[in-house]
Amino acid sequence: MATSGILRAIRYHPISSRIAATYRSLSTLVLAEHEGGSIKASSISAVEAAKSIGNENSVSLLLAGSGPSLKEAAEHAASCHPSISQVLVAESDNFTYPLAEPWAKLIHVVHQKGDYSHIIAASGSFGKNIVPRAAALLDISPVTDVTEISDSNIFVRPIYAGNALCTVRYTGSSPCMLTVRSTSFSVASTSADSNSKPASIDQVDLSNFSEDDAVGKSRYIKLSSQETERPDLGNARVVITGGRALKSAENFKMIEKLAEKLGAAVGATRAAVDAGYVPNDLQVGQTGKIVAPELYMAFGVSGAIQHIAGMRDAKVIVAVNKDADAPIFQVADYGLVGDLFEVIPELLEKLPDKK
């Protein structure tokens, strides 16, 4: 199997004594996303990333929302990871939906009281929406899509669609704000120790948070989601992805049937999403979701560099394409040159139903 090399670019700058003094006292604020009374796995991965900043690092988790689900999420947060020492809860109707404007103002208010050395969020739609605006309010430049934390101010992040790794030293003012790739900071099964003492839960003082702070240039319209028993794409052990070669939304149902047999999540290329075969929340790639499953199966996927950037960390990659020269075969562990309209029906026939 031919594989492309990974380059590592190093950018070092002298760090000022003022910043060095700041990092002697480490404290991290993790921006948490929750749904249905539980903390999302990507946010727990962000807590795992915070562990790498330093041994004496104090980790606080920030939750915002309204209603009974927020209380349930706070209770889950208090015991979901042993590194969490405090759960901060901001309860207000302004945070019913995770809009950038009120969240950015909330982060600014919380940081003024906590004086955190680092602020971390997962590099998903939640973090990508909020972090840039919050960074602007704090007058700092965020370090995005971090895959490795070498020190409290030295980070590794991919560039050029993942074909090179860049090591950067943060020399800006405090706090150092990061978004981290959740697939690079997997949480060990022993992290949520049932014998560990739950973190304290404290309410955020919102007396200085006015209604005007919540009014911005965006507003919530609606949430469109599909009810399915399939695992979440970002955390699935097995992902089955289809490309534009499936030709229609009706044909894409073959991918869904195969995923059901294997207990897998369904993914798609940007071309398949743009063609309207599936909704964009299934897109895998540089502008979609980053996945790192144990098994990744690609049917009719050519292997554009933008797509490879979203799945190259999969443990085993299987590709089926009728074009023997398709770039996907350069990164695949197993490849089959064949017509997916013949291969998938045969797989559906021979694979046993999931029990």
Side-chain angles (χ1 to χ4, degrees), residues 154-231:
I154 301 177
F155 314 101
V156 178
R157 61 183 300 273
I159 57 176
Y160 303 126
N163 283 295
L165 296 176
C166 182
T167 300
V168 297
R169 182 193 293 271
Y170 180 75
T171 60
S173 58
S174 180
C176 174
M177 182 170 278
L178 313 170
T179 61
V180 297
R181 187 174 289 190
S182 57
T183 54
S184 298
F185 298 94
S186 57
V187 182
S189 58
T190 55
S191 287
D193 187 355
S194 58
N195 296 324
S196 62
K197 183 180 179 181
S200 63
I201 300 176
D202 301 303
Q203 295 290 327
V204 176
D205 182 8
L206 297 176
S207 58
N208 295 327
F209 194 96
S210 65
E211 289 291 332
D212 294 336
D213 293 327
V215 177
K217 295 182 178 180
S218 64
R219 63 188 178 90
Y220 176 84
I221 297 178
K222 67 177 181 177
L223 172 65
S224 298
S225 62
Q226 293 182 320
E227 292 186 5
T228 176
E229 296 181 356
R230 290 193 296 267

Side-chain angles (χ1 to χ4, degrees), residues 175-348:
C176 174
M177 182 170 278
L178 313 170
T179 61
V180 297
R181 187 174 289 190
S182 57
T183 54
S184 298
F185 298 94
S186 57
V187 182
S189 58
T190 55
S191 287
D193 187 355
S194 58
N195 296 324
S196 62
K197 183 180 179 181
S200 63
I201 300 176
D202 301 303
Q203 295 290 327
V204 176
D205 182 8
L206 297 176
S207 58
N208 295 327
F209 194 96
S210 65
E211 289 291 332
D212 294 336
D213 293 327
V215 177
K217 295 182 178 180
S218 64
R219 63 188 178 90
Y220 176 84
I221 297 178
K222 67 177 181 177
L223 172 65
S224 298
S225 62
Q226 293 182 320
E227 292 186 5
T228 176
E229 296 181 356
R230 290 193 296 267
D232 177 67
L233 176 59
N235 304 296
R237 293 178 58 252
V238 180
V239 174
I240 313 295
T241 293
R244 182 167 46 189
L246 283 152
K247 299 180 181 180
S248 70
E250 184 66 27
N251 290 337
F252 209 95
K253 291 180 180 178
M254 293 192 299
I255 297 291
E256 297 173 355
K257 291 179 181 178
L258 183 59
E260 289 174 4
K261 283 220 170 189
L262 295 175
V266 172
T269 63
R270 178 168 180 169
V273 170
D274 289 347
Y277 302 166
V278 289
N280 60 6
D281 60 328
L282 299 184
Q283 182 180 327
V284 174
Q286 186 178 18
T287 55
K289 292 185 178 179
I290 307 296
V291 299
E294 294 180 16
L295 173 63
Y296 187 87
M297 301 182 71
F299 293 89
V301 176
S302 63
I305 188 173
Q306 292 84 359
H307 182 76
I308 298 297
M311 44 67 72
R312 69 185 315 151
D313 291 332
K315 305 299 184 295
V316 177
I317 300 173
V318 178
V320 176
N321 199 301
K322 65 180 180 180
D323 180 7
D325 296 323
I328 189 70
F329 289 125
Q330 296 180 7
V331 297
D333 297 285
Y334 301 95
L336 174 62
V337 179
D339 189 342
L340 64 86
F341 292 103
E342 297 176 0
V343 175
I344 295 179
E346 189 172 352
L347 284 172
L348 290 173

